[in-house]
Amino acid sequence: MKFGHFDDAQKEYVITSPRTPLPWINYLGCENFFSLVSNTCGGYSFYKDAKLLRLTRYRYNNVPLDSNGHYYYIKDGGTVWNPGWMPTKTELDSYECRHGMGYSVFKGSKNGLTAELTDFVPMGSTCEINKLTLKNTTTDTKEFSVFSYVEFCLWNAMDDMTNFQRNFSTGEVEIHADGSQLFHKTEYRERRNHYAVYAVNAPVAGFDTDRDSFLGAYGENSAPAVVTNGESKNSVASGWSPIGSHHLKVTLAPGEEKTYIFVLGYVENPVAEKWIGRPEDGVINRAPADALLAKFDTTEKVDAALADLKAYWNNLLGHFTISSSEEKLDRMVNIWHQYQCMVTFNMSRSASYFESGIGRGMGFRDSCQDLLGFVHLIPDRARERILDIAATQFEDGSAYHQYQPLTKKGNADIGSGFNDDPLWLIAGAAAYIKETGDYSILDEMTPYDSDPSKATDFMEHLRRSFNYTVKHLGPHGLPQIGRADWNDCLNLNCFSEEPGESFQTFGPSEGPNAESVFIAGMFVKYGKDYVEICKHRGLDAEAKEAEEAIHKMEATVLDAGWDGEWFLRAYDHYKNKVGSKECEEGKIFIEPQGFCVIAEIGLKEGNCLKAMQSVEKYLDTKYGIVLLQPAYHRYHVELGEISSYPPGYKENAGIFCHNNPWISIAETVVGRGNRAWQVYTRTCPAYIEDISEIHRTEPYVYSQMIAGKDAPNFGEAKNSWLTGTAAWTFLDVSQYILGIRPDYDGLVIDPCIPSHMDGFTAKREFRGVTYHITVKNPSHVEKGVAKTIVDGKEIAGNMIPAADVTGSDVNVEVIMG
Ligand code: BGC
Ligand code: NOJ
């Protein structure tokens, strides 16, 4: 069952019922100001950092669901309704929500009045625009009221929801232009030179800034007293909960329409050390706000800003496009995969409807992996991101697991000790260099622990990353796992020496015994990149030494990390195997099968194919591949958080979407295009849109997890949007299935497609050149390139050397066979 449909021409998903199984959201903002907006106008805004600079208040896990947002109430006669249905939930005569690239449009109608609300964050400005167009479709004149509503957050979202003894006394507002401009100037502790403004470009009949006055005693946003009574109270908040609400009285002749522009802005005064004037004269410096509002005070200016935003996205998504016989594939590759990658670039794992914006900032491993999906779109920003991430590394090569986007400093509460982290930095750096050919990044002086006095060139960061694994090997010669590797819940050093003692989620980070076969796979895969980078810098001796360490690791994995039919997962603190046929539960895990095969460990010896066959045999389900089998049914203190989940959820045998593309990529390594395709399509949003009532999260983006076959809700997804799945599936489909893969010296074309496919065409920008690629599959093979023709000339092999290309357009024809 569907709750809407794709509109590919507009690059939109069109939701046709407000009663989606869960709120289906979109992200507004591409630079510094961001809003989350659901299909019923729920959500909130923040500037740069969802924890520290939150503009509007949202209550996660609220009852009713998703009942705070940026709302417009229309009071037409006795009926009060919202264009996006919530929060009054008045039945609408028609409803539509279009989520597009950085904007959302809501269309509601009731009793002959239509309201179209367009929400977006313009490029280059720190505000959200809400353009509201009202149209009278009846033959009578209509007189009605519109009330706007936002609830301000007192900046630090964590403090805002916990520290009431203080913040019920901090709220302060200012009202200008007879109530059309409402300023929220509450400070967060230290006097920061910023404030929020919520304004409308029309005279108002009244305003409110105090929540209780607006809602009424014990009131709620589904029926605010002011709206019910039809008159604002002109309340001025002092302490408690500041809000912004305008009252517009509108008269529309038959067929007439009017448009109002509401702006919710974040304002900083770069000159002032503190708010100018406070406390001396009690007013803020309005100049920067005036400048911001003047940019968007007419419909024409706002329409032009929306056109700019659309042009930005069309240009961005134009870097890589395909055309094939598969409509859903084209839709995902050309629009939604890349869009989700950009959102993960902006948010990492901070703010979604499942991440509160408080708990986590930028993840070290997460952001490194996200890079893989957007580096081709915004290489300059990717470069900056890589260096920001590297600056949170410690001198021994280990790293803060997370950092705060505003301060770019490592989060000491979480600390370090996740032993896969350092290797992800090599993954990100390699992807950047392959995409851009820009080796100068290696020379950038980059701090450790955000301390500029401790800095080396970036190459040294990569060296320390590589050597971190070399220096932390366990009893079998496999990498020590530390607190966890990619699988945050496999906490093999959280053992308890005392029977009955409870485990700690984040226990001791050091442990000499517990080893990870997954990190071994990573070490081999990204170690090879490190070797290439060394060679490019003329560090031949170092490259040789690194190669030896990699060969040794390969041999170790085949010896101590192979279980007969698949790769083992790990050894625990007691040196017992994890993910082995010998185990009672958790006999086979997905991660090492994916990564050891991607790293081609035992490819020639047949281990890779065998591992893939085992995945298919033991882990496959109709909704995707589960993380492990059999699920843990009892709590295993020596394994940590993983067995705390009920069977079938999350890391305990859920379908963790993130590592499904690893298997799909691994299948391309062994040449099985049909299977790679099957794995790709089974979790791919566009391909499962028809089961939205089972899947429940947005059908246009990936979720982190789908409940596995051991769970009662098999097939139900959770944690949509902010997941490494975005980058990895895009990498899978673009670089391994379609096979258009940047490499150090050029662009490799190496498709591994389902045999039924006749081929496809693609346009790929790469190092300033546009490649027009046609892939033909006349013999219906799954992999293999028989011929590569570049601008009419056949070349040897299937890598188009970047240096040999002249001109801005290159035509490539690849014949599979
Ligand atoms: C989740 C993991 C997540 C981790 C983050 C765990 O509870 O299961 O998926 O990576 O928290 O800290
Ligand atoms: C989600 C986290 O963001 C990611 O870092 C981790 O690898 C996976 N969960 C698996 O635990």
Side-chain angles (χ1 to χ4, degrees):
M1 183 184 163
K2 302 201 291 186
F3 297 82
H5 57 266
F6 288 95
D7 180 342
D8 294 341
Q10 302 298 322
K11 300 191 173 72
E12 292 171 343
Y13 192 81
V14 187
I15 301 166
T16 49
S17 163
R19 291 181 181 82
T20 44
L22 291 165
W24 284 0
I25 73 163
N26 194 13
Y27 284 85
L28 316 180
C30 310
E31 296 158 323
N32 294 315
F33 189 103
F34 299 100
S35 297
L36 280 66
V37 61
S38 73
N39 59 308
T40 59
C41 293
Y44 62 90
S45 302
F46 59 93
Y47 176 74
K48 278 192 181 172
D49 191 312
K51 177 178 176 185
L52 299 176
L53 287 172
R54 182 90 60 109
L55 267 85
T56 52
R57 188 175 279 162
Y58 188 75
R59 292 177 193 83
Y60 278 91
N61 205 359
N62 200 1
V63 178
L65 193 59
D66 190 32
S67 66
N68 215 10
H70 302 170
Y71 292 134
Y72 296 89
Y73 298 87
I74 294 170
K75 182 175 165 65
D76 180 16
T79 310
V80 178
W81 58 282
N82 304 98
W85 185 63
M86 282 285 271
T88 59
K89 289 191 262 184
T90 301
E91 220 47 59
L92 299 174
D93 296 339
S94 67
Y95 160 92
E96 186 183 87
C97 163
R98 289 178 170 261
H99 284 321
M101 305 288 104
Y103 67 89
S104 292
V105 182
F106 304 85
K107 276 188 210 162
S109 71
K110 185 81 187 168
N111 300 337
L113 182 62
T114 59
E116 181 169 323
L117 176 67
T118 304
D119 290 0
F120 70 103
V121 171
M123 299 300 295
S125 293
T126 58
C127 64
E128 180 188 310
I129 307 265
N130 291 177
K131 174 187 162 194
L132 181 66
T133 299
L134 301 153
K135 183 168 184 178
N136 177 3
T137 60
T138 71
T139 48
D140 300 317
T141 296
K142 267 192 180 283
E143 285 184 13
F144 56 96
S145 285
V146 175
F147 293 89
S148 64
Y149 179 66
V150 299
E151 182 179 356
F152 290 111
C153 181
L154 309 182
W155 302 111
N156 180 320
M158 182 63 177
D159 197 69
D160 184 72
M161 65 160 74
T162 48
N163 194 6
F164 308 109
Q165 62 79 24
R166 173 184 153 82
N167 58 36
F168 281 168
S169 294
T170 58
E172 276 190 296
V173 296
E174 268 182 43
I175 293 118
H176 292 300
D178 297 329
S180 64
Q181 297 175 0
L182 308 173
F183 292 84
H184 172 232
K185 45 183 226 169
T186 308
E187 300 168 355
Y188 178 67
R189 297 200 180 251
E190 70 271 29
R191 296 276 164 87
R192 289 202 187 133
N193 54 353
H194 63 257
Y195 54 85
V197 58
Y198 184 46
V200 59
N201 67 341
V204 298
F207 63 86
D208 277 286
T209 60
D210 175 58
R211 192 185 68 195
D212 285 356
S213 305
F214 181 75
L215 297 181
Y218 294 86
E220 53 193 67
N221 62 12
S222 59
V226 157
V227 179
T228 309
N229 299 332
E231 290 300 334
S232 290
K233 292 192 182 137
N234 297 343
S235 59
V236 180
S238 176
W240 299 109
S241 292
I243 60 152
S245 172
H246 309 94
H247 178 192
L248 301 175
K249 286 192 173 159
V250 189
T251 303
L252 291 179
E256 194 189 359
E257 69 172 41
K258 276 187 186 158
T259 296
Y260 298 92
I261 309 296
F262 295 83
V263 176
L264 172 70
Y266 170 86
V267 182
E268 229 164 39
N269 181 353
V271 183
E273 281 294 308
K274 298 175 182 175
W275 284 344
I276 291 188
R278 191 177 187 279
E280 289 77 21
D281 60 11
V283 294
I284 54 168
N285 173 15
R286 278 183 50 191
D290 288 344
L292 177 72
L293 297 178
K295 283 165 82 176
F296 307 109
D297 57 0
T298 66
T299 306
E300 292 69 33
K301 290 181 193 175
V302 165
D303 289 346
L306 182 61
D308 280 353
L309 180 73
K310 289 188 180 179
Y312 167 81
W313 277 103
N314 284 339
N315 174 45
L316 199 62
L317 298 179
H319 291 317
F320 184 66
T321 58
I322 63 153
S323 173
S324 75
S325 51
E326 289 273 333
E327 187 190 27
K328 294 175 184 172
L329 172 71
D330 294 2
R331 165 182 301 154
M332 289 307 302
V333 172
N334 297 337
I335 307 169
W336 296 99
H337 279 320
Q338 302 196 66
Y339 186 56
Q340 190 175 3
C341 285
M342 286 302 291
V343 171
T344 59
F345 160 67
N346 286 321
M347 299 290 132
S348 192
R349 303 297 169 270
S350 65
S352 71
Y353 265 30
F354 298 86
E355 300 279 8
S356 66
I358 293 171
R360 298 206 269 169
M362 316 293 288
F364 191 97
R365 79 155 81 88
D366 295 326
S367 291
C368 285
Q369 288 173 85
D370 293 345
L371 270 160
L372 311 176
F374 65 76
V375 63
H376 67 296
L377 293 171
I378 43 167
D380 294 345
R381 296 178 79 187
R383 190 183 202 271
E384 186 188 341
R385 175 62 58 80
I386 293 170
L387 296 172
D388 284 349
I389 297 171
T392 66
Q393 205 173 8
F394 290 104
E395 284 175 290
D396 69 350
S398 66
Y400 279 113
H401 197 49
Q402 287 160 17
Y403 71 96
Q404 220 37 57
L406 188 69
T407 61
K408 295 188 176 175
K409 292 217 167 106
N411 180 345
D413 293 341
I414 304 288
S416 65
F418 297 81
N419 282 356
D420 60 320
D421 275 339
L423 292 171
W424 290 118
L425 189 65
I426 302 179
Y432 172 77
I433 294 172
K434 287 180 191 173
E435 180 66 39
T436 60
D438 169 24
Y439 286 88
S440 75
I441 190 174
L442 300 172
D443 300 318
E444 292 289 345
M445 287 306 280
T446 312
Y448 293 88
D449 196 5
S450 306
D451 179 352
S453 73
K454 294 188 259 175
T456 65
D457 64 17
F458 180 58
M459 180 67 195
E460 179 64 22
H461 279 260
L462 297 184
R463 178 174 297 121
R464 292 184 193 186
S465 294
F466 181 81
N467 286 334
Y468 186 83
T469 303
V470 175
K471 289 181 187 161
H472 292 82
L473 300 178
H476 298 89
L478 292 163
Q480 291 173 0
I481 197 167
R483 276 161 71 168
D485 58 22
W486 172 89
N487 189 330
D488 272 323
C489 300
L490 196 60
N491 315 124
L492 304 180
N493 287 311
C494 289
F495 57 90
S496 161
E497 297 293 0
E498 297 300 320
E501 227 181 62
S502 63
F503 89 110
Q504 301 157 278
T505 306
F506 293 120
S509 52
E510 297 298 321
N513 294 345
E515 297 170 296
S516 163
V517 177
F518 169 78
I519 299 182
M522 276 189 85
F523 179 75
V524 173
K525 162 82 183 145
Y526 297 121
K528 289 179 193 165
D529 281 306
Y530 182 64
V531 167
E532 286 302 315
I533 292 169
C534 284
K535 283 186 183 159
H536 191 275
R537 276 180 94 79
L539 301 168
D540 293 339
E542 189 177 347
K544 195 157 173 284
E545 209 180 305
E547 256 168 352
E548 277 161 18
I550 292 165
H551 290 321
K552 200 164 163 210
M553 187 65 78
E554 284 170 326
T556 306
V557 170
L558 291 177
D559 175 28
W562 180 252
D563 200 51
E565 283 183 75
W566 57 80
F567 292 99
L568 275 181
R569 180 62 177 86
Y571 286 91
D572 69 16
H573 167 71
Y574 305 98
K575 303 183 192 165
N576 292 326
K577 292 176 182 171
V578 180
S580 159
K581 56 181 180 289
E582 293 167 20
C583 302
E584 172 205 347
E585 304 186 304
K587 290 175 190 285
I588 171 171
F589 280 64
I590 194 171
E591 306 99 308
Q593 320 317 325
F595 249 81
C596 293
V597 177
I598 291 174
E600 302 183 8
I601 301 176
L603 183 61
K604 284 197 289 294
E605 295 85 344
N607 302 62
C608 291
L609 182 60
K610 187 79 215 156
M612 289 299 96
Q613 287 164 341
S614 296
V615 167
E616 198 170 353
K617 188 166 165 195
Y618 298 110
L619 299 178
D620 227 17
T621 80
K622 61 178 173 176
Y623 296 132
I625 304 167
V626 296
L627 195 145
L628 61 86
Q629 276 295 291
Y632 293 107
H633 287 79
R634 69 172 181 84
Y635 182 63
H636 298 253
V637 69
E638 73 286 2
L639 301 180
E641 187 180 350
I642 192 162
S643 55
S644 71
Y645 283 115
Y649 287 128
K650 296 279 285 182
E651 283 86 342
N652 187 11
I655 298 160
F656 225 90
C657 298
H658 190 141
N659 32 42
N660 274 247
W662 295 351
I663 298 301
S664 184
I665 294 172
E667 289 288 3
T668 70
V669 170
V670 298
R672 302 203 304 174
N674 289 335
R675 173 69 179 152
W677 178 252
Q678 184 186 50
V679 173
Y680 166 69
T681 50
R682 273 201 177 146
T683 56
C684 185
Y687 283 86
I688 55 175
E689 186 196 5
D690 287 341
I691 57 155
S692 288
E693 82 286 6
I694 299 172
H695 190 72
R696 301 188 78 224
T697 52
E698 295 91 332
Y700 37 92
V701 291
Y702 282 91
S703 293
Q704 182 204 56
M705 193 247 352
I706 299 169
K709 61 184 176 183
D710 301 286
N713 303 328
F714 181 34
E716 180 192 60
K718 292 196 185 100
N719 293 13
S720 55
W721 282 97
L722 304 185
T723 161
T725 315
W728 275 103
T729 42
F730 183 65
L731 201 72
D732 173 27
V733 71
S734 62
Q735 298 196 11
Y736 293 89
I737 293 179
L738 300 172
I740 303 172
R741 187 159 65 238
D743 210 335
Y744 292 98
D745 299 319
L747 195 61
V748 172
I749 318 280
D750 186 21
C752 184
I753 55 178
S755 50
H756 72 258
M757 235 179 162
D758 293 326
F760 59 91
T761 61
K763 181 176 146 259
R764 172 62 152 101
E765 285 174 20
F766 177 65
R767 302 191 193 175
V769 175
T770 305
Y771 291 79
H772 304 273
I773 302 159
T774 303
V775 171
K776 292 183 179 159
N777 189 17
S779 332
H780 290 273
V781 297
E782 294 176 62
K783 194 174 178 175
V785 170
K787 219 188 234 184
T788 308
I789 303 157
V790 179
D791 278 339
K793 282 196 207 111
E794 189 171 345
I795 62 162
N798 59 349
M799 193 200 61
I800 309 155
D804 292 1
V805 168
T806 50
S808 53
D809 286 90
V810 170
N811 289 303
V812 181
E813 192 174 309
V814 169
I815 314 291
M816 294 179 69

